Amino acid sequence: MNVIESTLFYESWLADQTDLQNRRLDVKHARMASNPFPFLRGTFYRWLQRWRKECDYLHSRHEDVLLAVGDLHIENFGIWRDSRSRLVWGINDFDEACQVPFTLDLVRLATSIILAAEAVEIEVPRNQVSHLLLAGYQDGLEAAGAPILLEAEERRELLAFVSFATKPPPSYWAERFNDDDNPEIAAKELPRGLEDAFRPAFPRGSTPVYRRQRKPTGLGSLGRRRFMAALKRGDADYIAREAKALVPSALSWLEMRPAAISLAGTLLQRIVRSPDPCLQVHDRWLIRQAAPEALKIELPASREESHLIFAAPLLNAMGFETANVHLGSRSPKELETALEGLRRQVGEDWLVTASARMEKATRKDHQAWLKYWRRHSKKSGSR
């Protein structure tokens, strides 16, 4: 099965799980064609297929299987305020949570860093990326997991990374309330049960404004329905929640198993960190807070600011946070033993080798997709 067949097959399966917006899928397809990095972000289903072939020596290690992020990449991190108002940094997207070897998360993260660096014209040596991720991962295991608090003394160096991503409240809310991108709708237009899922976030008796999100951020889940509920409580100050439709991981599609519910809620309960109190799973919806200090951090447009993302402290923290997730399923000793087994049986450079294999496979698939998309878009434009 090539990447075109995989995509058509997967999206047909996905349409059976949830209502899809075909126009948003067209946007996703175009972005996938633009560069190998967004292609990686949008094709976790294809990654799983490639992983089993290119890294079969890692996939076949059944003793390493745990509940993992799955679709882990460099833009899968963000910030939030915990229940004690502390600013926390970490992974904030778990749409593809699934049972896979812990190595898949690390290999996918390393591969994404290499491709993302290329996209912003920054050179980052693969061995350096692997070393920093594994050093951070080892630090996380030795600490038995811990939240990454940005205002703590040992993490203050990460604050510079966050500062460029945050926006002043007026600008942030102006984008969220753009009527062309997020038109206002009546409560009765919400999917069944979603109004009840939104309600606990707002004061009793209040009436939030509901919006349909036509141009949401993100890429892997682009095409699924999204909605917002917001209530103004002061000048440029709102209580707001966003809802995204959840579906089972692409692993269910690949293994042709009866579709189950998403494992995102289970993973969120297990992670060793200070949780985002507003990030919750309700039935088949993921509810998250919308606020200037609760956001996913993407690659900046400025090349100078992009350098912050590929600095040693941040890559180390990514490895540490990945350990926080995996420690929800395994003890530090079990994971340390697994790592040592990898070094002995596969080699010290196992992450360098595996990420190189997956990068090559991703580039090959991207080129095939680009050719297909150009032909398809040309035919569509001629009609």
Coordinates of all heavy atoms in Angstrom, one line a residue, residues 213-271:
Q213 N -15.6 26.6 14.8 CA -14.3 26.9 14.3 C -14.0 26.3 13.0 O -13.8 25.1 12.8 CB -13.2 26.4 15.3 CG -13.3 27.1 16.7 CD -12.2 26.6 17.6 OE1 -12.2 25.4 18.0 NE2 -11.3 27.5 17.9
R214 N -13.9 27.2 12.0 CA -13.7 26.8 10.6 C -12.2 26.7 10.3 O -11.8 26.0 9.3 CB -14.4 27.8 9.7 CG -15.9 27.7 9.7 CD -16.5 28.8 8.7 NE -17.9 28.6 8.6 CZ -18.7 29.5 8.0 NH1 -18.2 30.7 7.6 NH2 -20.0 29.3 7.9
K215 N -11.4 27.5 11.0 CA -10.0 27.5 10.7 C -9.2 27.3 11.9 O -8.5 28.2 12.4 CB -9.6 28.8 10.0 CG -10.2 29.1 8.7 CD -9.7 30.4 8.0 CE -10.3 30.6 6.6 NZ -9.8 31.8 6.0
P216 N -9.3 26.1 12.5 CA -8.5 25.8 13.7 C -7.1 25.6 13.5 O -6.6 25.4 12.3 CB -9.2 24.5 14.2 CG -9.6 23.8 12.9 CD -10.0 24.9 12.0
T217 N -6.3 25.7 14.5 CA -4.9 25.4 14.4 C -4.7 23.8 14.4 O -5.6 23.1 14.5 CB -4.1 26.0 15.6 OG1 -4.6 25.4 16.8 CG2 -4.2 27.5 15.6
G218 N -3.4 23.4 14.2 CA -3.2 22.0 14.2 C -3.2 21.5 12.8 O -3.7 22.2 11.9
L219 N -2.8 20.2 12.6 CA -2.8 19.6 11.3 C -3.3 18.2 11.3 O -4.1 17.8 10.5 CB -1.4 19.7 10.7 CG -1.2 19.2 9.3 CD1 -2.1 20.0 8.3 CD2 0.2 19.4 8.8
G220 N -2.8 17.4 12.2 CA -3.1 16.0 12.2 C -4.6 15.7 12.3 O -5.2 14.8 11.7
S221 N -5.3 16.6 13.1 CA -6.8 16.4 13.3 C -7.6 17.4 12.4 O -8.8 17.5 12.6 CB -7.1 16.6 14.8 OG -6.7 17.9 15.2
L222 N -6.9 18.0 11.5 CA -7.7 19.0 10.6 C -8.7 18.2 9.8 O -8.4 17.2 9.2 CB -6.7 19.7 9.7 CG -7.1 21.0 9.0 CD1 -7.5 22.0 10.1 CD2 -6.0 21.5 8.2
G223 N -9.9 18.7 9.8 CA -11.0 18.1 9.1 C -12.1 17.6 10.1 O -13.2 17.4 9.7
R224 N -11.7 17.4 11.4 CA -12.7 17.1 12.4 C -13.4 18.3 12.9 O -12.8 19.4 12.9 CB -12.0 16.4 13.6 CG -11.2 15.1 13.2 CD -10.7 14.5 14.5 NE -9.5 13.7 14.2 CZ -8.7 13.2 15.1 NH1 -9.0 13.4 16.4 NH2 -7.6 12.5 14.8
R225 N -14.6 18.2 13.4 CA -15.4 19.3 13.9 C -14.8 19.9 15.1 O -14.3 19.2 16.0 CB -16.8 18.9 14.1 CG -17.6 18.6 12.8 CD -19.0 18.2 13.2 NE -19.1 17.1 14.0 CZ -20.2 16.7 14.7 NH1 -21.3 17.4 14.5 NH2 -20.2 15.6 15.4
R226 N -14.8 21.2 15.2 CA -14.4 21.9 16.4 C -15.3 23.1 16.7 O -15.9 23.7 15.8 CB -13.0 22.5 16.2 CG -11.9 21.5 15.9 CD -10.5 22.0 16.1 NE -9.5 21.1 15.6 CZ -8.2 21.2 16.0 NH1 -7.8 22.1 16.8 NH2 -7.3 20.4 15.5
F227 N -15.5 23.3 18.0 CA -16.4 24.4 18.5 C -15.8 25.1 19.7 O -14.9 24.6 20.3 CB -17.8 23.8 18.9 CG -18.5 23.0 17.8 CD1 -18.3 21.7 17.6 CD2 -19.4 23.7 17.0 CE1 -18.9 21.0 16.5 CE2 -20.1 23.1 16.0 CZ -19.8 21.7 15.7
M228 N -16.3 26.3 19.9 CA -15.9 27.1 21.0 C -17.1 27.6 21.8 O -18.1 27.9 21.2 CB -15.0 28.3 20.6 CG -14.6 29.3 21.7 SD -13.8 30.8 21.0 CE -12.2 30.2 20.8
A229 N -16.9 27.8 23.1 CA -17.8 28.4 24.0 C -17.1 29.5 24.8 O -16.0 29.3 25.3 CB -18.5 27.5 25.0
A230 N -17.6 30.7 24.8 CA -16.9 31.8 25.5 C -17.9 32.8 26.2 O -19.0 33.0 25.8 CB -16.1 32.7 24.4
L231 N -17.4 33.3 27.3 CA -18.2 34.2 28.1 C -17.3 35.4 28.5 O -16.2 35.2 29.2 CB -18.7 33.5 29.4 CG -19.6 34.4 30.3 CD1 -20.9 34.7 29.7 CD2 -19.8 33.6 31.7
K232 N -17.7 36.6 28.2 CA -16.9 37.8 28.6 C -17.1 38.1 30.0 O -18.2 38.1 30.6 CB -17.3 39.0 27.7 CG -16.4 40.2 27.8 CD -16.7 41.2 26.8 CE -15.6 42.3 26.9 NZ -15.8 43.4 25.8
R233 N -16.0 38.4 30.7 CA -16.0 38.7 32.1 C -15.2 40.0 32.5 O -15.0 40.2 33.6 CB -15.5 37.5 33.0 CG -14.0 37.2 32.7 CD -13.6 36.0 33.5 NE -12.2 35.6 33.3 CZ -11.6 34.6 33.8 NH1 -12.3 33.9 34.7 NH2 -10.4 34.2 33.5
G234 N -14.8 40.7 31.5 CA -14.1 42.0 31.7 C -13.5 42.4 30.4 O -13.7 41.8 29.3
D235 N -12.8 43.6 30.4 CA -12.2 44.1 29.2 C -11.1 43.1 28.7 O -10.2 42.9 29.4 CB -11.6 45.5 29.5 CG -12.6 46.5 29.8 OD1 -13.8 46.3 29.3 OD2 -12.3 47.6 30.4
A236 N -11.3 42.7 27.5 CA -10.4 41.7 26.9 C -10.1 40.5 27.8 O -8.9 40.0 27.9 CB -9.1 42.4 26.6
D237 N -11.1 40.1 28.5 CA -10.9 38.9 29.4 C -12.2 38.0 29.2 O -13.3 38.5 29.4 CB -10.8 39.4 30.8 CG -10.5 38.3 31.8 OD1 -10.0 37.2 31.3 OD2 -10.8 38.4 33.0
Y238 N -11.9 36.8 29.0 CA -13.0 35.8 28.7 C -12.7 34.5 29.4 O -11.6 34.1 29.7 CB -13.1 35.5 27.2 CG -13.5 36.7 26.4 CD1 -12.6 37.6 26.0 CD2 -14.9 36.8 26.0 CE1 -13.0 38.7 25.2 CE2 -15.2 37.9 25.2 CZ -14.3 38.8 24.8 OH -14.7 39.9 24.0
I239 N -13.8 33.8 29.7 CA -13.7 32.4 30.0 C -14.1 31.7 28.7 O -15.1 31.9 28.1 CB -14.8 31.9 31.1 CG1 -14.5 32.7 32.4 CG2 -14.7 30.4 31.4 CD1 -15.6 32.5 33.4
A240 N -13.2 30.8 28.2 CA -13.4 30.2 26.9 C -12.9 28.7 26.9 O -11.9 28.4 27.6 CB -12.8 31.0 25.8
R241 N -13.7 27.9 26.2 CA -13.3 26.5 26.1 C -13.5 26.1 24.6 O -14.4 26.6 23.9 CB -14.2 25.6 26.9 CG -14.1 25.8 28.4 CD -12.7 25.4 28.9 NE -12.6 25.5 30.4 CZ -12.2 26.6 31.0 NH1 -11.9 27.7 30.3 NH2 -12.2 26.6 32.4
E242 N -12.6 25.3 24.1 CA -12.6 24.7 22.8 C -12.9 23.2 22.8 O -12.3 22.5 23.7 CB -11.3 25.0 22.0 CG -11.1 26.5 21.8 CD -9.7 26.8 21.2 OE1 -8.7 26.1 21.5 OE2 -9.6 27.7 20.4
A243 N -13.6 22.7 21.9 CA -13.9 21.3 21.9 C -13.5 20.7 20.5 O -13.8 21.3 19.5 CB -15.4 21.0 22.1
K244 N -12.8 19.6 20.5 CA -12.4 18.9 19.3 C -12.9 17.5 19.3 O -12.8 16.8 20.3 CB -10.9 19.0 19.2 CG -10.3 18.2 18.1 CD -8.8 18.4 17.9 CE -8.0 18.0 19.1 NZ -6.5 18.1 18.8
A245 N -13.4 17.0 18.2 CA -13.9 15.7 18.1 C -12.8 14.7 18.3 O -11.7 14.8 17.7 CB -14.6 15.4 16.8
L246 N -13.0 13.7 19.1 CA -12.0 12.6 19.3 C -12.4 11.3 18.6 O -13.5 11.0 18.5 CB -11.8 12.3 20.8 CG -10.9 13.2 21.7 CD1 -11.0 12.7 23.1 CD2 -9.5 13.2 21.2
V247 N -11.4 10.7 18.1 CA -11.6 9.4 17.4 C -10.6 8.4 17.9 O -9.5 8.8 18.5 CB -11.5 9.5 15.9 CG1 -12.6 10.4 15.4 CG2 -10.1 9.9 15.5
P248 N -10.7 7.1 17.7 CA -9.7 6.1 18.1 C -8.4 6.4 17.4 O -8.4 7.0 16.3 CB -10.3 4.8 17.7 CG -11.8 5.0 17.7 CD -11.9 6.4 17.2
S249 N -7.3 6.0 17.9 CA -6.0 6.2 17.3 C -6.0 5.5 15.9 O -6.7 4.5 15.7 CB -4.9 5.6 18.2 OG -3.7 5.5 17.5
A250 N -5.1 6.0 15.0 CA -4.9 5.3 13.7 C -4.4 3.9 13.9 O -4.5 3.1 12.9 CB -3.9 6.1 12.9
L251 N -3.9 3.5 15.1 CA -3.5 2.2 15.3 C -4.7 1.2 15.1 O -4.5 0.1 14.7 CB -2.8 2.0 16.7 CG -2.2 0.7 17.0 CD1 -1.1 0.4 16.0 CD2 -1.7 0.7 18.4
S252 N -5.9 1.6 15.5 CA -7.1 0.8 15.4 C -7.4 0.6 13.9 O -7.8 -0.5 13.5 CB -8.3 1.5 16.0 OG -8.1 1.5 17.4
W253 N -7.2 1.6 13.1 CA -7.3 1.5 11.6 C -6.3 0.5 11.1 O -6.7 -0.4 10.3 CB -7.2 2.8 11.0 CG -6.9 2.8 9.5 CD1 -7.8 2.5 8.5 CD2 -5.6 2.9 8.9 NE1 -7.2 2.5 7.3 CE2 -5.8 2.8 7.5 CE3 -4.3 3.2 9.3 CZ2 -4.8 2.9 6.6 CZ3 -3.3 3.3 8.4 CH2 -3.5 3.2 7.1
L254 N -5.1 0.7 11.4 CA -4.0 -0.2 10.9 C -4.2 -1.6 11.2 O -4.0 -2.5 10.4 CB -2.6 0.3 11.4 CG -1.4 -0.5 10.9 CD1 -1.3 -0.3 9.4 CD2 -0.2 0.0 11.6
E255 N -4.6 -1.9 12.4 CA -4.8 -3.3 12.9 C -6.2 -3.8 12.6 O -6.5 -5.0 12.9 CB -4.4 -3.4 14.3 CG -3.0 -3.1 14.6 CD -2.6 -3.2 16.1 OE1 -3.5 -3.2 16.9 OE2 -1.4 -3.2 16.4
M256 N -7.0 -3.0 12.0 CA -8.4 -3.4 11.6 C -9.1 -4.0 12.8 O -9.8 -4.9 12.7 CB -8.3 -4.4 10.4 CG -7.8 -3.8 9.2 SD -8.7 -2.3 8.6 CE -10.3 -3.0 8.2
R257 N -8.9 -3.3 14.0 CA -9.6 -3.7 15.2 C -10.9 -2.9 15.3 O -11.0 -1.8 14.8 CB -8.8 -3.4 16.4 CG -7.6 -4.3 16.5 CD -6.9 -4.1 17.8 NE -5.9 -3.0 17.8 CZ -6.2 -1.9 18.5 NH1 -7.3 -1.7 19.1 NH2 -5.2 -0.9 18.4
P258 N -11.9 -3.5 15.9 CA -13.2 -2.7 16.1 C -12.8 -1.4 16.8 O -12.1 -1.4 17.8 CB -14.0 -3.6 17.0 CG -13.5 -5.0 16.7 CD -12.0 -4.9 16.5
A259 N -13.4 -0.3 16.2 CA -13.0 1.0 16.7 C -13.4 1.1 18.2 O -14.6 0.9 18.5 CB -13.7 2.1 15.9
A260 N -12.5 1.5 19.0 CA -12.8 1.8 20.4 C -12.8 3.3 20.6 O -12.5 4.0 19.7 CB -11.8 1.1 21.3
I261 N -13.0 3.7 21.9 CA -12.9 5.1 22.2 C -11.4 5.5 22.2 O -10.5 4.7 22.3 CB -13.5 5.4 23.5 CG1 -12.9 4.7 24.7 CG2 -15.0 5.1 23.4 CD1 -13.4 5.1 26.0
S262 N -11.2 6.8 22.1 CA -9.8 7.3 22.2 C -9.2 7.0 23.6 O -9.9 7.0 24.6 CB -9.8 8.8 22.0 OG -8.6 9.4 22.4
L263 N -7.9 6.7 23.6 CA -7.2 6.5 24.9 C -6.6 7.8 25.5 O -5.9 7.7 26.5 CB -6.1 5.5 24.7 CG -6.5 4.1 24.3 CD1 -5.3 3.2 24.0 CD2 -7.4 3.5 25.4
A264 N -7.0 8.9 24.9 CA -6.5 10.2 25.4 C -6.8 10.4 26.9 O -6.0 10.9 27.7 CB -7.0 11.4 24.6
G265 N -8.1 10.1 27.3 CA -8.5 10.4 28.7 C -7.7 9.5 29.6 O -7.3 9.9 30.7
T266 N -7.4 8.2 29.3 CA -6.7 7.3 30.1 C -5.2 7.8 30.3 O -4.7 7.8 31.4 CB -6.7 5.9 29.5 OG1 -8.0 5.5 29.3 CG2 -5.9 4.9 30.4
L267 N -4.6 8.3 29.2 CA -3.3 8.8 29.2 C -3.2 10.0 30.1 O -2.2 10.2 30.9 CB -2.7 9.0 27.8 CG -1.3 9.3 27.7 CD1 -0.4 8.3 28.4 CD2 -0.9 9.5 26.3
L268 N -4.1 10.9 30.0 CA -4.1 12.1 30.8 C -4.2 11.8 32.3 O -3.6 12.6 33.1 CB -5.3 13.0 30.4 CG -5.1 13.8 29.1 CD1 -6.5 14.4 28.6 CD2 -4.1 14.9 29.2
Q269 N -4.9 10.8 32.6 CA -5.0 10.4 34.1 C -3.7 9.9 34.6 O -3.4 9.9 35.8 CB -6.1 9.4 34.2 CG -7.5 10.0 34.0 CD -8.6 9.0 34.1 OE1 -8.3 7.8 34.1 NE2 -9.8 9.4 34.1
R270 N -2.8 9.3 33.7 CA -1.7 8.6 34.2 C -0.4 9.4 34.2 O 0.6 9.1 34.9 CB -1.4 7.4 33.3 CG -2.5 6.3 33.4 CD -2.1 5.1 32.5 NE -3.1 4.1 32.6 CZ -2.9 2.9 31.9 NH1 -1.8 2.7 31.2 NH2 -3.8 2.0 32.0
I271 N -0.3 10.5 33.4 CA 1.0 11.2 33.2 C 1.5 11.7 34.6 O 0.7 12.3 35.4 CB 0.8 12.4 32.3 CG1 0.3 11.9 30.9 CG2 2.1 13.1 32.1 CD1 0.0 12.9 29.9

